[in-house]
């Protein structure tokens, strides 16, 4: 059974380990292992992940089956709370395709009560992620080249409306 809960300081090492494993599995074939290591050493360093815990208007969640963390999601509110910017959603490779990502996505969405849409940027060569978001009801609304993070990432921008039940 999978539980989604708020990430805590004691989860940081396990979250980092999950991100490094998932990034290598996903991106080694796209960027090469050395570049993936450089990116994960920077973006997924323990201190960078700890900052997520204190970030205002943010939600940092893990999916936990009691033995290990199977997935992680991090999102922030923009536009006065109207837009949820999904900044991370990663599921351990062995756990992919089992509903963990959808569970995290729904929980993130439910955490931002004023929001009316979720936005996410996806590397266009990450076919599994593109298929996941389309399967979750997202539509492509744009594309951008992201050179400011020390990379030449070709990103697709996906959006999904949030429909609140009365």
């Amino acid at each position: 059974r999978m539980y989604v809960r708020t990430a805590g300081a004691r989860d940081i090492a396990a979250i980092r380990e999950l991100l490094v494993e998932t990034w290598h599995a996903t991106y080694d074939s796209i960027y090469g292992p050395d570049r993936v290591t450089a990116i994960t050493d920077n973006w997924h360093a323990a201190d960078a992940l700890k900052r997520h815990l204190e970030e205002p208007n943010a939600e940092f969640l893990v999916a936990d089956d009691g033995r290990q963390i199977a997935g992680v999601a991090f999102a922030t509110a923009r536009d006065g709370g109207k837009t949820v910017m999904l900044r991370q959603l990663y599921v351990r490779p062995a756990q992919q395709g089992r509903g963990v990502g959808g569970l995290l996505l729904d929980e993130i969405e439910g955490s931002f009560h004023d929001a009316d849409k979720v936005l996410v940027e996806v590397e266009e060569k990450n076919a599994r992620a593109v298929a996941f978001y389309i399967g979750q009801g997202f539509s492509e609304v744009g594309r951008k080249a992201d050179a400011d993070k020390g990379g030449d990432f070709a990103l697709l921008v996906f959006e999904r409306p949030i429909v609140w039940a009365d």
Side-chain angles (χ1 to χ4, degrees):
R1 177 129 171 78
M2 198 65 63
Y3 297 94
V4 175
R5 61 176 175 78
T6 301
R10 64 187 162 74
D11 298 314
I12 294 297
I15 291 169
R16 173 167 162 68
E17 183 265 319
L18 176 149
L19 289 168
V20 169
E21 177 189 341
T22 306
W23 264 71
H24 278 290
T26 306
Y27 293 113
D28 279 4
S29 64
I30 298 173
Y31 303 132
D34 292 346
R35 182 148 173 232
V36 171
T37 296
I39 290 169
T40 57
D41 284 353
N42 179 8
W43 295 357
H44 307 140
D47 60 338
L49 295 171
K50 278 189 192 118
R51 281 196 294 276
H52 289 351
L53 297 172
E54 279 95 52
E55 193 157 334
N57 306 312
E59 198 64 50
F60 193 17
L61 302 176
V62 293
D64 186 344
D65 67 3
R67 292 187 315 281
Q68 70 170 353
I69 290 174
V72 61
F74 177 65
T76 53
R78 293 204 323 212
D79 306 330
K82 290 289 178 205
T83 303
V84 176
M85 189 70 215
L86 184 62
R87 292 177 30 199
Q88 290 178 322
L89 177 63
Y90 293 102
V91 175
R92 193 178 294 281
Q95 303 278 352
Q96 289 176 5
R98 299 184 186 175
V100 177
L103 210 59
L104 283 163
L105 189 57
D106 290 346
E107 200 67 35
I108 281 280
E109 204 173 80
S111 301
F112 295 92
H113 302 291
D114 296 327
D116 56 20
K117 68 182 173 198
V118 182
L119 277 177
V120 63
E121 295 171 355
V122 183
E123 160 61 59
E124 68 180 350
K125 293 187 192 94
N126 185 350
R128 282 193 79 157
V130 169
F132 168 78
Y133 288 109
I134 291 169
Q136 292 288 326
F138 282 77
S139 306
E140 186 184 325
V141 294
R143 40 182 56 224
K144 64 188 243 192
D146 195 352
D148 61 326
K149 289 183 178 148
D152 48 348
F153 303 102
L155 300 175
L156 302 177
V157 182
F158 285 99
E159 179 180 305
R160 177 172 89 175
I162 298 175
V163 180
W164 296 99
D166 290 329

